[in-house]
Amino acid sequence: MKQRKELYLFLGRTALYFIILLGLLYFFSYLGKGQGGFIYNEF
């Protein structure tokens, strides 16, 4: 039973970090839309 709880904790934490990462990516891509000289446009 303890092993299952650890699995759920791991999955929950992973999903939370994934959502935060997606949110940050969306936020920064939204910020970068108005700028012409965005650093990744060089490549």
Side-chain angles (χ1 to χ4, degrees):
M1 206 65 184
K2 185 174 181 247
Q3 204 169 9
R4 183 167 289 183
K5 186 181 176 191
E6 287 178 8
L7 178 71
Y8 286 139
L9 275 174
F10 173 74
L11 287 176
R13 203 173 292 142
T14 306
L16 186 67
Y17 287 140
F18 186 67
I19 290 168
I20 291 171
L21 184 70
L22 281 180
L24 283 173
L25 283 173
Y26 178 75
F27 183 67
F28 281 116
S29 68
Y30 180 73
L31 279 181
K33 280 208 169 74
Q35 300 170 354
F38 196 54
I39 194 167
Y40 295 113
N41 286 347
E42 307 283 324
F43 300 114

